[in-house]
Amino acid sequence: MYLLILFLPLLGSLISGFGGRWLGCHGTNVFSTSCVIISALLALLAFFEIGLAGTTCTIFLTSWIKSGAFQVSWGFWFDSITVTMLVVITLISSLVHVYSVKYMEQDPHHPRFMAYLEIFTFFMLILVTGDNLIQMFLGWEGVGLASYLLINFWYTRLAANQSAIKALITNRVGDFGLSLAIFSIFWVFNSVDYTIIFPLVPLFEDHFLMFMGFKLHVLTLISIFLFIGAVGKSAQLGLHTWLPDAMEGPTPVSALIHAATMVTAGVFLMIRFSPLLEFSPTILFILIIFGSLTAFFASLTGVFQNDLKRVIAYSTCSQLGYMIFSCGMSCYDVSLFHLANHAFFKALLFLSAGSVIHAVSNEQDMRRMGSLLKFMPLTYSVMLIGSLALTGFPFLTGFYSKDFILELTQSSSYSNLHTFYVSFACWLGSMSVFFTSFYSFRLIYLTFLNNTNLTRNSVNTVHESSGMMVFPLIILSIGSIFIGYLTRDLFIGFGTNFWASAIFILPKYSNFIEAEELPIIIKWLPFALSLLGIFFASFIHLSSKTFHSKSILQNLLAFFGFLINKKWYWDILYNRLIILPILNFGYLIAFKILDRGFIELSGPYGFTKFIPFWSQILIKLQTGQITHYLFFIIFSFCFFSIISVYNYVNFTFSLVLVFFTLLFFI
Amino acid sequence: MFQQLNCTNISSLLFLVSLLGIFLNQKNILVMLMSLEMMFLAISFNLIFSSIRLDDIIGQIFSLLILTVAAAESSIGLAILVIYYRIRSTITVELMNLMKG
């Protein structure tokens, strides 16, 4: 049963991919969707067996690579982290499959799309279930590949090509870090199996590695490399630029990959490696700084974006920041809880955005929408549910995970915990709550509530989506309302033993109890901030006041607004400072000077130029005059006799030099 | 008896003169051929002198052989010259540059 969860999507992908032209459009849809749905049901069963009944399952298939101490096997490890991820992946994936049957109805490439979606699901499952790093890396690279294929699904579009390449290469930077992590783990632990690495970690707490005269703490080094991988995949600040651009793919893809599953792979990696990260305070500090900066930066950028999907993409980026800094606070379980909840409401938001885009004939700019409430009340209500869940409205899903993360950051107010840097996360995280609710409701107002900016043609064709598309929305909105409440006690309840040995937290970093003891006013703070954001958004969009004045402050604000709308110029900076110099290096130095220059000159090109030159000189020697030939005979006779006499006396290098200079002058 | 130094000097001098005769002559090919003959003469002279000096017959035999070779060579050379003159109507060395590279 456990293997079926994995191999049903693989089977579906292979058959719908290679046999798509025999199965046909409908056949592919039915076959691949049913494969994933069965896999999702089995995943729920696995969740019951492993998560609720408290067992752990390991499956050893066969040996993969065997070379001395290096042994990799095809093994699967199902524990509570894995089954949680399994349920999230297969459930979201099957809903997206159902959704895209109707959404991609007009598209001629159904079998290919379904095959890509399924192969993505399969690789994601490999990623989360692998019991060693190599197998995890296989899944990690596989989802990168699937992401490339899916973003580039409409391969005739230039923007899709560019975004796909950008996503792949930016991910590759992170993958470089992850492969360094795997190498260093094997160097230190002599194994890549989780079951061997994790118990050994405490032994290496005071282990240092000498590298070029530097003394490096081994665990910090490994965890920094791991984090670089997570930065690439989970779009943390620095390597986040691919995520908004990945919205060039079809909307179901954005919902599946860039909201719910692939981007959470980095967070999953951090959670999986909790036994290792715990022993390195440096990496916890780095996680907090990077996570909170990402949360703040992305939520601020989302405020000034006008593309419907791009706003939600930045929202994803921001929520990933929350998950990462909650890992930095050693609250891996809360992070995973937020991951699971976030998957539900973000998939909901994306799919309902897809429904909106579908209705207004593929227009993505929010400024050209408006008053869609009249036309599609159901989409409006599910999107409102998603947005409220995202802002952490009380008793919706987001409330139980997100607000709890923020409460945990408040524990920095207890000075005896020595976690002063958590206040960084506290401030930035709280501010991003405000921005999150602001952009969510800006989105709602611009799309659904404001006066319409649609063209007359579009207004005539606006319609509520059909049943196949609405069904996943309803399921996901039910999830967005209830999942948090239902699984709260299981995942982050007080003293829950759901995680068993899957997550390891050092007792000195555990600050659950402190978070429970916070004053009630502080516990209300996130809710107050999100309400403030909602009111602010309502004020701007409901009142007729416009902000047009010439004061310096206004100009400054306008300047910052412009800056943020341009995404803080990250892309341009990367293009100008990194990509352009590398391209120039590649063309001017590596290609023009080295490849076609120096090497060619000393190789074939140089010879073809040099030999005719010499032969011209030699031709000139053949004058045809007998006296000249006689001169050469006598001259060389004299020359060699002098040389031989001189050599006999003492051989010097200079003589050889004289010889060659003579040769040259000839 | 012959002075040893003297004889060597004579043969070497003769060889040098003939060499310069070939080398410096730019005009007439007959002079070249004659210098060639002189060269053979110098060599033969040197061989004969050495054979007397070393009391060995080989040198004289060798010089006799050289004599025949020289005779044959000059006859062939003159024949070539005659053919050349018949075609080009001139025997000036400077003008013999048809084989230029």
Side-chain angles (χ1 to χ4, degrees):
Chain A
M1 178 192 98
Y2 290 99
L3 288 178
L4 263 190
I5 299 174
L6 267 87
F7 289 114
L8 273 177
L10 178 66
L11 186 78
S13 154
L14 289 179
I15 288 180
S16 59
F18 290 114
R21 54 179 298 168
W22 291 284
L23 275 176
C25 173
H26 282 292
T28 322
N29 285 339
V30 172
F31 181 72
S32 57
T33 310
S34 53
C35 271
V36 183
I37 287 174
I38 294 168
S39 162
L41 295 177
L42 292 176
L44 282 172
L45 207 59
F47 185 79
F48 171 75
E49 266 191 19
I50 286 166
L52 301 182
T55 54
T56 301
C57 173
T58 54
I59 295 172
F60 173 80
L61 268 192
T62 174
S63 176
W64 184 7
I65 304 166
K66 237 183 200 173
S67 169
F70 181 67
Q71 293 197 341
V72 182
S73 56
W74 287 102
F76 300 94
W77 188 24
F78 295 84
D79 61 0
S80 31
I81 302 176
T82 305
V83 285
T84 313
M85 292 296 288
L86 277 187
V87 168
V88 168
I89 294 161
T90 50
L91 217 55
I92 301 290
S93 175
S94 45
L95 288 175
V96 166
H97 271 78
V98 173
Y99 182 87
S100 48
V101 165
K102 204 70 188 169
Y103 188 85
M104 305 294 283
E105 193 181 29
Q106 309 285 324
D107 201 277
H109 297 288
H110 254 280
R112 190 161 62 92
F113 187 71
M114 287 298 170
Y116 287 169
L117 279 186
E118 295 234 65
I119 202 72
F120 168 78
T121 314
F122 170 69
F123 277 125
M124 196 68 204
L125 293 175
I126 285 278
L127 196 161
V128 295
T129 55
D131 79 336
N132 58 60
L133 273 164
I134 307 291
Q135 204 176 321
M136 193 275 293
F137 195 65
L138 175 79
W140 185 275
E141 292 296 317
V143 290
L145 170 76
S147 156
Y148 173 81
L149 294 172
L150 280 167
I151 298 169
N152 209 358
F153 180 70
W154 291 316
Y155 52 83
T156 47
R157 297 177 61 212
L158 179 64
N161 294 328
Q162 285 171 334
S163 311
I165 291 172
K166 188 177 184 182
L168 196 71
I169 290 178
T170 318
N171 268 312
R172 203 57 68 247
V173 178
D175 296 345
F176 181 64
L178 184 63
S179 47
L180 284 181
I182 294 174
F183 296 150
S184 47
I185 281 176
F186 183 70
W187 175 258
V188 174
F189 296 99
N190 271 319
S191 174
V192 286
D193 281 2
Y194 293 150
T195 40
I196 296 176
I197 299 166
F198 294 151
L200 287 178
V201 167
L203 296 177
F204 288 92
E205 200 182 349
D206 299 319
H207 193 74
F208 288 90
L209 194 72
M210 291 300 287
F211 180 73
M212 290 168 73
F214 292 101
K215 208 174 167 195
L216 302 169
H217 186 213
V218 160
L219 296 181
T220 307
L221 191 73
I222 291 172
S223 44
I224 284 175
F225 285 148
L226 284 173
F227 179 58
I228 291 173
V231 166
K233 202 61 105 189
S234 284
Q236 296 299 300
L237 196 65
L239 294 177
H240 65 279
T241 50
W242 67 272
L243 189 56
D245 281 12
M247 297 303 131
E248 289 301 334
T251 312
V253 171
S254 309
L256 179 60
I257 298 192
H258 309 115
T261 45
M262 189 179 104
V263 286
T264 58
V267 181
F268 166 77
L269 186 73
M270 293 290 105
I271 295 167
R272 174 61 91 200
F273 273 83
S274 62
L276 202 149
L277 304 188
E278 279 298 280
F279 287 95
S280 164
T282 321
I283 193 65
L284 297 179
F285 174 70
I286 291 173
L287 283 179
I288 285 182
I289 298 293
F290 265 85
S292 46
L293 277 177
T294 310
F296 179 68
F297 156 80
S299 61
L300 195 54
T301 315
V303 170
F304 288 89
Q305 298 299 312
N306 292 318
D307 188 307
L308 182 61
K309 284 170 77 179
R310 216 155 265 196
V311 171
I312 308 176
Y314 273 110
S315 159
T316 304
C317 199
S318 158
Q319 298 304 311
L320 288 166
Y322 277 98
M323 293 174 209
I324 288 285
F325 80 66
S326 125
C327 284
M329 290 184 302
S330 300
C331 305
Y332 303 96
D333 42 359
V334 188
S335 175
L336 190 56
F337 184 44
H338 190 49
L339 192 159
N341 291 346
H342 171 256
F344 281 97
F345 54 73
K346 197 49 67 71
L348 173 63
L349 279 174
F350 261 113
L351 291 184
S352 43
S355 174
V356 168
I357 290 166
H358 202 57
V360 295
S361 52
N362 295 325
E363 174 62 59
Q364 295 201 11
D365 200 326
M366 289 195 297
R367 290 169 298 186
R368 296 203 196 148
M369 295 176 186
S371 73
L372 290 177
L373 171 59
K374 304 276 193 313
F375 301 103
M376 31 205 324
L378 199 141
T379 309
Y380 168 71
S381 38
V382 291
M383 199 149 192
L384 189 66
I385 290 168
S387 296
L388 285 175
L390 175 67
T391 54
F393 199 77
F395 313 121
L396 291 184
T397 294
F399 173 72
Y400 292 103
S401 54
K402 192 171 143 187
D403 279 19
F404 190 54
I405 292 178
L406 288 164
E407 271 175 32
L408 286 165
T409 62
Q410 296 286 0
S411 63
S412 61
S413 53
Y414 296 95
S415 58
N416 55 347
L417 285 176
H418 301 295
T419 51
F420 57 94
Y421 46 82
V422 175
S423 58
F424 193 72
C426 177
W427 278 98
L428 290 183
S430 304
M431 277 194 275
S432 23
V433 168
F434 171 74
F435 290 121
T436 303
S437 56
F438 181 79
Y439 65 64
S440 301
F441 279 86
R442 176 169 172 271
L443 191 150
I444 295 274
Y445 273 107
L446 281 175
T447 353
F448 290 105
L449 300 178
N450 277 1
N451 290 335
T452 185
N453 283 323
L454 285 167
T455 57
R456 184 184 292 243
N457 286 337
S458 313
V459 171
N460 286 334
T461 55
V462 168
H463 58 283
E464 188 73 80
S465 310
S466 61
M468 287 284 270
M469 275 166 80
V470 167
F471 170 72
L473 294 181
I474 291 170
I475 298 283
L476 281 171
S477 60
I478 291 169
S480 300
I481 297 171
F482 295 113
I483 284 284
Y485 174 71
L486 290 177
T487 56
R488 176 187 58 136
D489 272 341
L490 188 65
F491 284 175
I492 56 168
F494 206 74
T496 171
N497 63 350
F498 176 72
W499 301 111
S501 58
I503 285 176
F504 174 79
I505 299 172
L506 276 184
K508 66 173 173 179
Y509 292 133
S510 177
N511 47 9
F512 268 52
I513 301 169
E514 282 81 357
E516 297 294 334
E517 296 294 325
L518 284 171
I520 197 74
I521 185 93
I522 287 180
K523 289 196 176 204
W524 277 98
L525 181 69
F527 176 61
L529 280 170
S530 56
L531 267 192
L532 196 66
I534 294 170
F535 282 132
F536 198 59
S538 312
F539 173 71
I540 284 180
H541 289 103
L542 292 180
S543 72
S544 56
K545 285 222 187 331
T546 48
F547 294 96
H548 286 302
S549 73
K550 293 285 177 190
S551 75
I552 296 170
L553 187 68
Q554 292 286 336
N555 281 339
L556 202 66
L557 280 178
F559 170 71
F560 270 108
F562 180 73
L563 194 68
I564 297 167
N565 178 255
K566 297 292 172 196
K567 309 159 200 164
W568 292 101
Y569 281 100
W570 273 97
D571 292 78
I572 290 171
L573 283 177
Y574 275 176
N575 288 345
R576 296 265 166 85
L577 295 181
I578 297 174
I579 296 167
L580 196 65
I582 289 176
L583 272 178
N584 277 338
F585 175 83
Y587 181 65
L588 295 177
I589 294 176
F591 181 70
K592 271 179 106 175
I593 293 180
L594 281 178
D595 214 21
R596 297 300 306 276
F598 177 70
I599 294 171
E600 284 272 300
L601 210 60
S602 60
Y605 180 75
F607 270 132
T608 52
K609 282 283 167 197
F610 203 57
I611 286 175
F613 175 71
W614 269 51
S615 68
Q616 283 301 320
I617 292 170
L618 286 175
I619 283 166
K620 279 186 192 134
L621 290 177
Q622 316 284 328
T623 50
Q625 298 283 357
I626 296 173
T627 28
H628 292 173
Y629 296 141
L630 280 168
F631 167 76
F632 284 126
I633 296 169
I634 293 162
F635 173 79
S636 43
F637 176 72
C638 298
F639 182 75
F640 282 112
S641 40
I642 289 169
I643 292 248
S644 56
V645 169
Y646 199 83
N647 263 355
Y648 187 71
V649 177
N650 61 335
F651 178 83
T652 50
F653 184 71
S654 62
L655 210 68
V656 180
L657 212 67
V658 168
F659 178 72
F660 276 108
T661 14
L662 271 172
L663 205 67
F664 184 73
F665 278 114
I666 286 168
Chain B
M1 277 306 277
F2 302 106
Q3 287 289 313
Q4 181 196 344
L5 193 68
N6 210 6
C7 288
T8 321
N9 278 352
I10 285 169
S11 66
S12 310
L13 213 61
L14 200 59
F15 190 80
L16 200 64
V17 166
S18 57
L19 203 65
L20 287 174
I22 290 179
F23 192 52
L24 297 179
N25 170 51
Q26 304 279 334
K27 299 284 179 194
N28 202 335
I29 201 158
L30 276 171
V31 177
M32 271 181 142
L33 279 173
M34 280 192 271
S35 302
L36 212 60
E37 290 302 312
M38 262 167 79
M39 222 182 261
F40 281 117
L41 188 66
I43 300 292
S44 301
F45 186 67
N46 203 5
L47 277 170
I48 292 167
F49 166 71
S50 309
S51 102
I52 293 168
R53 181 72 196 155
L54 300 171
D55 197 14
D56 189 359
I57 198 75
I58 298 287
Q60 291 170 35
I61 292 170
F62 214 81
S63 84
L64 272 175
L65 288 176
I66 287 177
L67 214 59
T68 53
V69 167
E73 186 265 332
S74 60
S75 63
I76 293 171
L78 279 170
I80 292 173
L81 184 66
V82 168
I83 294 169
Y84 186 78
Y85 181 73
R86 195 182 287 165
I87 296 169
R88 299 279 317 261
S89 314
T90 174
I91 50 169
T92 312
V93 179
E94 280 173 320
L95 298 177
M96 293 183 181
N97 56 0
L98 290 179
M99 297 289 280
K100 179 157 61 178

